[in-house]
DNA sequence: AGATCTACCTGGTTGC
DNA sequence: TGCAACCAGGTAGATC
């Protein structure tokens, strides 16, 4: 469940281990872990230089250039986009480390190390993109604004008139990018908003408050290197610490830390949702 | 437009 | 003990 803070942590950890190296070979161990044009990844990526590793929404992006820094001529990938979905992980290992049971893709790097893409559940993917491919990638083109970059006014305007439930809107990557089940529930609890409230029934003042709280929660989670539940690890194989700050996520039936009432569990937008019926209205 | 359901996938947990 | 049922979760796609 890498969400924005986890992907940001992974990108920051991966950057010093991969930027400035070129890709010398690509090994596809599981075909379904490659989305888009497989030949562009397998035969186009070798020889390309990893210039920058960063994040957009929950996507981890590797910007590529030809080693001589000229614009890539013809059909070459200028980007690798990884979506980790639920169980995807990215690690850099020495060349002697063999693939694991769930290793789906390996990129050999020019410094002798290798980037492993492990993904037990096979939901994640790596997509190689040439310049012209971005225009045809619906997920990329409909991705909403970054929650840490959007201003308060724009955030309020984004939600104010929607009739959908506020948690569904927060989870909708076309509305705002990078929020998943954990940070939706944690933010709505801290903002005192019931997850099943229609957006247009939430006062403007509370939407303003949610904007600040959402940013604070995401920033704190990034400072703490994300949340580790089940199999999430950062690029160094380390667990994050934000799970120690969970107030509702995964705590259905436990007592609310604020009022002591039992936390309720419900399905909202198809996801398990935990909230306090007294503190969230 | 928005809600609901299913598919995708596998390991861990629960129930009998 | 053994095994079936269920669960978690992000996104796409179908259907109402």
């Amino acid at each position: 469940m890498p969400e924005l803070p986890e992907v940001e942590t992974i990108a920051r950890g991966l950057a010093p281990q991969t930027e400035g190296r070129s890709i010398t070979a690509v090994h596809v161990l599981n075909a379904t872990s490659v989305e888009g044009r497989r030949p562009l990844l397998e035969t186009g990526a070798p020889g390309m230089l990893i210039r920058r590793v960063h994040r957009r929404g929950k996507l981890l992006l590797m910007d590529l250039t030809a080693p001589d820094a000229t614009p890539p001529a013809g059909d070459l990938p200028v980007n690798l986009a990884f979506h980790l979905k639920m169980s995807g992980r990215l690690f850099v290992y020495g060349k002697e480390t063999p693939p694991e049971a769930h290793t789906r893709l390996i990129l050999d790097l020019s410094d002798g190390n290798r980037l492993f893409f492990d993904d037990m559940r096979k939901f994640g993917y790596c997509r190689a993109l040439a310049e012209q491919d971005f225009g045809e990638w619906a997920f990329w083109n409909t991705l909403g604004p970054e929650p840490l970059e959007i201003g308060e006014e724009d955030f309020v305007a984004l939600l104010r008139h929607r009739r959908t439930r506020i948690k569904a809107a927060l989870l909708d990557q076309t509305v705002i990018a990078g929020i998943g089940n954990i940070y939706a529930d944690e933010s709505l609890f801290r903002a005192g908003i019931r997850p099943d409230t229609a957006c247009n029934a939430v006062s403007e003042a509370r939407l303003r408050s949610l904007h600040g709280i959402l940013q604070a929660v995401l920033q704190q989670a990034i400072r703490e290197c994300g949340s580790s539940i089940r199999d999430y690890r950062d690029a160094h194989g380390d667990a994050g610490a934000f799970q120690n700050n969970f107030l509702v996520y995964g705590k259905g039936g436990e007592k609310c830390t604020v009022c002591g009432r039992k936390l309720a569990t419900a399905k909202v937008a198809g996801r398990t949702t935990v909230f306090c019926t007294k503190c969230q209205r």
Side-chain angles (χ1 to χ4, degrees):
Chain A
M1 12 238 111
E3 303 180 26
L4 186 157
E6 290 76 31
V7 180
E8 181 68 31
T9 301
I10 293 165
R12 289 180 185 184
L14 231 39
Q17 299 177 285
T18 55
E19 286 177 356
R21 282 73 160 180
S22 53
I23 298 166
T24 55
V26 172
H27 309 280
V28 176
L29 283 64
N30 177 65
T32 64
S33 299
V34 177
E35 193 172 89
R37 297 194 285 148
R38 180 168 166 179
L40 188 69
L41 174 65
E42 280 187 300
T43 61
M48 302 297 284
L49 180 79
I50 301 171
R51 176 153 299 262
R52 189 165 80 99
V53 178
H54 58 114
R55 177 197 62 76
R56 169 82 171 96
K58 297 174 194 172
L59 288 171
L60 183 132
L61 298 168
M62 290 189 169
D63 297 350
L64 308 178
T65 55
D68 59 5
T70 56
D75 199 29
L76 289 174
V78 296
N79 231 285
L80 299 184
F82 291 87
H83 199 310
L84 305 178
K85 294 285 181 83
M86 264 89 70
S87 58
R89 302 178 179 201
L90 288 165
F91 297 113
V92 174
Y93 293 123
K95 56 173 156 258
E96 69 287 347
T97 303
E100 296 163 18
H102 301 119
T103 302
R104 309 304 184 193
L105 179 72
I106 298 174
L107 304 184
D108 292 355
L109 304 178
S110 52
D111 63 3
N113 292 326
R114 307 203 290 172
L115 176 68
F116 278 43
F117 175 47
D118 293 353
D119 185 20
M120 183 186 77
R121 272 168 269 195
K122 299 183 180 176
F123 281 11
Y125 58 80
C126 173
R127 173 187 284 260
L129 297 123
E131 207 62 75
Q132 69 271 19
D133 293 322
F134 282 95
E136 292 160 23
W137 189 16
F139 181 73
W140 175 262
N141 288 308
T142 60
L143 217 43
E146 285 291 322
L148 290 175
E149 289 171 13
I150 191 170
E152 189 178 275
E153 292 306 316
D154 290 340
F155 181 81
V156 171
L158 207 55
L159 299 173
R160 189 173 38 184
H161 297 302
R162 290 181 188 270
R163 292 186 292 267
T164 188
R165 295 175 289 186
I166 190 146
K167 177 168 176 179
L170 292 179
L171 292 176
D172 185 342
Q173 303 299 296
T174 70
V175 174
I176 191 160
I179 302 166
N181 208 26
I182 293 173
Y183 298 101
D185 273 11
E186 291 298 321
S187 300
L188 288 170
F189 174 77
R190 287 162 171 77
I193 301 170
R194 267 183 72 113
D196 56 357
T197 314
C199 293
N200 61 8
V202 180
S203 73
E204 206 167 295
R206 313 189 83 205
L207 289 177
R208 286 178 194 285
S209 154
L210 177 61
H211 171 262
I213 286 165
L214 176 62
Q215 291 197 339
V217 166
L218 293 174
Q219 272 158 351
Q220 189 191 347
I222 290 171
R223 278 199 303 276
E224 301 193 14
C225 298
S227 306
S228 289
I229 50 175
R230 303 194 183 83
D231 37 23
Y232 167 77
R233 290 294 183 278
D234 69 17
H236 303 292
D238 295 330
F242 190 76
Q243 67 279 5
N244 300 323
N245 300 297
F246 287 172
L247 298 178
V248 287
Y249 180 83
K251 295 184 181 292
E254 296 181 31
K255 285 184 174 177
C256 172
T257 51
V258 174
C259 74
R261 184 180 292 193
K262 250 176 126 180
L263 292 171
T265 300
K267 286 273 181 199
V268 177
R271 319 286 167 72
T272 301
T273 299
V274 182
F275 62 101
C276 176
T277 54
K278 186 173 178 191
C279 298
Q280 291 171 267
R281 297 182 184 279

